[in-house]
Amino acid sequence: MFDIKDLYQEVIVDHNKNPRNFGKLEDATKTLEGFNPLCGDRLTLYIKTENDQIQDISFDGSGCAISVASASLMTDAMKGKSLEEAERLFDQFHNLITSDDELDLEQMGKLAALAGVREYPARVKCASLCWHTLHSVIEGDATPVSTE
Amino acid sequence: MNNSEKIIDAFPSSNDFDINKIRADFSILTETVKGNPLVYLDNAATSQKPTQVIEVLDQYYREYNSNIHRGVHSLSQKATDVYESARDKVKNFLNANSTKEIIFVRGATEGINLVAQSFGLSNISEGDEVIITEMEHHSNIVPWQMLCETTGATLKFIPINDAGELIMEEYAQLLSDKTKLVAVSHISNALGTINPIKTIIDKAHAVGAKVLIDGAQAVPHTRVDVQKLDCDFYVFSGHKLFGPTGIGVLYGKHALLESMPPYQGGGDMISMVTMEKTAYNALPHKFEAGTPHIAGVIGLGAAIDYVNAIDFDAAANYENELLDYALSKVDQVEGMNLVGTAKEKTSILSFTLDSIHPHDIGTILDDQGVAIRAGHHCAMPIMERFCIPATARASFAFYNTHAEVDALFDAINQCREVFG
């Protein structure tokens, strides 16, 4: 049976307690807010891109363990990626947390720690908030992202 | 041993309230969630429904489903009779003066919107003031903001102290001859605070203002006597009172309702329509346009029969015992912090736990079968007041048990374990 500790894996608990890439990025080229009105999760994503490549990325805000750990892991995974690669990862991550498909967890690296979210549909929005925000930044959207 | 047996309460109760008999009326309480017995502690969001209510709904649809107030056939007559007898039950439940003062609406929210649009637009204008409180549910904030935006009136609010109680001195300061309406919750959904509504009503009347009381959280826990309170409007929702969703009640004083224009136009609310002009129906029908939620009204009537049949005062005492028992356990949990510690408080336990986000608490509790609410409880200004994004909220009903309080605290300890 699925155990609650499969959702709150050590990686998640650790990234929630000590989020990586947390804080404002002073030389960000793009900034966008994401908001989950249901639970009040709120984050701001800071990105520095050059030649369609993510040079640096960070976030700040507050939210539940799933949303903070997801943003921490996502920003770690995005550094140095091209925008095209970032969009591909967005699709793969979406698949990771929502579909019933068999998964190649190795390919997802540390992001695989969030695979447990698929067992908790109510928490998908928490895990995907930062990703939707990133997706909007890449698409050039300037309006704050809401998961509702 | 099956799961339902596990949660039968062995705790001696200080009164004759028969909890096991009550629990047998709520078959949902024997359900399991993720392999554990359901521990339903989200009663402030919606209550469960006893068999007596479910059977009445079933019977209406199976045996006499038909429209009301218009058919000459027998089924329609029966549906009309049962529908109108439910109005009589509500009248007695609130101790209103007349069934003309009982308007069926979709819920407390619609009741407030009706008053804001009908009473508000015809009695409130630029320069006037509406007073609400810092602890209101969004349903008792937004309709007044909308009204003030339309009319140019000003919205003011009574602040709360750190315990989650209204600061009554500030209320006295806010009142003036500009005050046209005061809208206050009887009991706060996010904090559990029982407000001193009698004092609030009397002070408002002293300056000539009308008063609306949002009783959504109050009717399942306390007796309400609208004549004794002398409130001008009182609203509540059926689904928090062990009845169906989609049905609620607006009580209004007869003379006030008489003076107010209709809220919505349509069938049932007219006495005569020509292409040029319409004469409106008498109260209460003037405010009930269209085919109403007939099953909902009948179900609400059954829910009122149910609470009348149990010893309501004993039930309220029992809920207070549950709250005291839960409160006695709070100190034993490191990092558990209560939000809402009013002296006069009902069985709502709103809390934070270390830095663990309430949403995570909600998920971990659910894994143990414990259903609570996590979030801002549609009361974002309260969260802002206490500088927190959200709380976890356990809310008790008279069918909950001391064993379920234990299950809640076991699950809370599990949260601490998961987050190390």
Side-chain angles (χ1 to χ4, degrees):
Chain A
M1 209 187 112
F2 198 85
D3 190 81
I4 193 74
K5 289 198 174 154
D6 294 333
L7 176 65
Y8 293 103
Q9 292 183 23
E10 223 169 284
V11 179
I12 307 287
V13 173
D14 172 47
H15 276 257
N16 174 51
K17 205 179 259 176
N18 310 296
R20 323 293 198 263
N21 317 305
F22 190 84
K24 193 174 174 186
L25 195 64
E26 291 301 338
D27 56 348
T29 49
K30 280 169 190 164
T31 301
L32 193 64
E33 261 183 74
F35 181 47
N36 183 346
L38 183 73
C39 53
D41 289 352
R42 191 184 281 274
L43 67 83
T44 306
L45 204 57
Y46 306 93
I47 304 180
K48 186 187 172 192
T49 54
E50 207 177 295
N51 300 327
D52 284 346
Q53 198 186 30
I54 298 172
Q55 301 277 320
D56 206 354
I57 179 167
S58 75
F59 77 102
D60 60 19
S62 69
C64 63
I66 303 296
S67 75
V68 171
S70 183
S72 174
L73 287 162
M74 180 192 82
T75 48
D76 255 358
M78 285 300 166
K79 282 189 187 171
K81 292 274 191 304
S82 71
L83 296 183
E84 202 185 322
E85 286 170 319
E87 286 287 72
R88 202 157 46 234
L89 210 48
F90 170 79
D91 289 336
Q92 286 169 348
F93 183 78
H94 194 255
N95 196 37
L96 174 81
I97 60 168
T98 58
S99 86
D100 293 327
D101 299 351
E102 282 290 312
L103 294 169
D104 182 0
L105 289 180
E106 294 225 342
Q107 180 203 337
M108 296 298 289
K110 275 193 175 176
L111 292 173
L114 285 157
V117 170
R118 58 167 58 190
E119 302 292 332
Y120 295 84
R123 305 305 300 277
V124 166
K125 281 180 181 168
C126 311
S128 60
L129 175 63
C130 58
W131 289 84
H132 283 294
T133 310
L134 175 67
H135 178 64
S136 291
V137 170
I138 293 172
E139 297 229 304
D141 205 340
T143 16
V145 176
S146 166
T147 54
E148 285 301 297
Chain B
M1 178 164 146
N2 72 27
N3 284 317
S4 64
E5 282 169 337
K6 274 191 217 159
I7 40 180
I8 284 178
D9 205 7
F11 202 92
S13 183
S14 64
N15 52 48
D16 335 320
F17 186 68
D18 189 349
I19 179 65
N20 293 331
K21 187 163 165 282
I22 294 280
R23 285 182 72 85
D25 292 333
F26 294 84
S27 58
I28 200 170
L29 299 177
T30 60
E31 290 291 312
T32 58
V33 170
K34 302 196 166 153
N36 295 300
L38 167 67
V39 175
Y40 187 78
L41 302 179
D42 196 16
N43 295 288
T46 195
S47 61
Q48 297 303 342
K49 324 302 172 200
T51 307
Q52 290 85 335
V53 168
I54 297 167
E55 279 177 353
V56 163
L57 292 171
D58 185 77
Q59 191 190 21
Y60 163 68
Y61 281 123
R62 282 180 193 280
E63 297 177 13
Y64 61 99
N65 170 59
S66 53
N67 213 328
I68 55 165
H69 296 151
R70 28 171 99 50
V72 291
H73 59 82
S74 300
L75 287 194
S76 174
Q77 191 55 53
K78 174 158 188 194
T80 304
D81 289 349
V82 181
Y83 180 91
E84 288 303 330
S85 77
R87 197 188 307 273
D88 203 48
K89 289 170 190 177
V90 174
K91 184 211 98 176
N92 293 332
F93 182 68
L94 295 177
N95 193 32
N97 190 40
S98 146
T99 49
K100 291 180 178 162
E101 300 177 318
I102 305 300
I103 314 292
F104 288 120
V105 288
R106 278 189 297 153
T109 299
E110 190 177 47
I112 296 169
N113 277 280
L114 190 160
V115 174
Q117 294 299 309
S118 172
F119 172 83
L121 285 177
S122 46
N123 290 281
I124 293 169
S125 49
E126 197 172 348
D128 290 340
E129 293 177 356
V130 175
I131 297 178
I132 60 171
T133 84
E134 199 176 10
M135 68 167 80
E136 295 311 308
H137 187 282
H138 295 163
S139 60
N140 203 23
I141 300 175
V142 185
W144 307 117
Q145 287 177 339
M146 290 164 64
L147 173 70
C148 289
E149 207 164 290
T150 310
T151 59
T154 307
L155 189 61
K156 305 218 153 175
F157 65 87
I158 313 169
I160 56 178
N161 63 22
D162 289 343
E165 296 160 327
L166 294 175
I167 303 175
M168 293 298 278
E169 298 77 20
E170 301 264 359
Y171 173 51
Q173 297 288 317
L174 289 174
L175 283 168
S176 74
D177 57 3
K178 288 184 191 162
T179 313
K180 288 291 171 295
L181 188 95
V182 178
V184 180
S185 53
H186 192 165
I187 291 177
S188 156
N189 74 308
L191 304 168
T193 310
I194 303 171
N195 287 320
I197 54 168
K198 180 60 186 153
T199 311
I200 290 170
I201 292 163
D202 290 346
K203 282 183 190 293
H205 285 169
V207 299
K210 305 296 180 201
V211 183
L212 176 141
I213 303 294
D214 172 3
Q217 293 296 332
V219 287
H221 302 290
T222 182
R223 285 176 191 282
V224 174
D225 183 332
V226 290
Q227 293 191 70
K228 213 177 202 173
L229 285 171
D230 197 27
C231 55
D232 301 286
F233 303 103
Y234 195 99
V235 298
F236 73 88
S237 297
H239 72 96
K240 294 191 206 283
L241 186 70
F242 319 102
T245 54
I247 192 67
V249 169
L250 162 67
Y251 157 82
K253 279 183 183 165
H254 184 248
L256 267 174
L257 291 176
E258 200 67 76
S259 71
M260 286 158 51
Y263 171 54
Q264 292 178 331
D268 233 23
M269 54 77 74
I270 51 90
S271 63
M272 172 68 104
V273 178
T274 64
M275 287 317 290
E276 290 76 36
K277 194 174 163 32
T278 292
Y280 302 127
N281 203 341
L283 285 173
H285 311 293
K286 181 172 89 176
F287 290 107
E288 293 177 7
T291 296
H293 184 7
I294 303 167
V297 168
I298 291 172
L300 174 60
I304 289 174
D305 284 343
Y306 184 82
V307 294
N308 284 340
I310 64 170
D311 184 342
F312 203 56
D313 293 329
N317 284 337
Y318 175 79
E319 285 173 357
N320 286 335
E321 269 182 33
L322 285 180
L323 177 67
D324 288 344
Y325 182 58
L327 290 174
S328 75
K329 295 184 125 211
V330 170
D331 288 344
Q332 297 162 29
V333 184
E334 208 187 313
M336 188 169 178
N337 180 39
L338 287 184
V339 181
T341 49
K343 274 188 220 87
E344 296 295 327
K345 182 175 157 70
T346 190
S347 51
I348 285 175
L349 203 67
S350 219
F351 63 94
T352 59
L353 187 62
D354 283 334
S355 57
I356 306 174
H357 194 281
H359 235 207
D360 297 312
I361 298 173
T363 294
I364 296 169
L365 263 56
D366 180 60
D367 203 60
Q368 308 286 308
V370 180
I372 60 150
R373 170 87 192 266
H376 51 59
H377 317 295
C378 297
M380 289 170 94
I382 296 184
M383 301 299 125
E384 207 179 312
R385 164 66 177 77
F386 288 98
C387 301
I388 44 178
T391 74
R393 179 189 70 187
S395 50
F396 308 111
F398 53 64
Y399 44 65
N400 289 125
T401 66
H402 292 79
E404 288 181 318
V405 176
D406 289 339
L408 167 69
F409 279 87
D410 287 348
I412 288 172
N413 285 320
Q414 174 81 11
C415 293
R416 295 183 50 84
E417 204 179 294
V418 168
F419 281 91

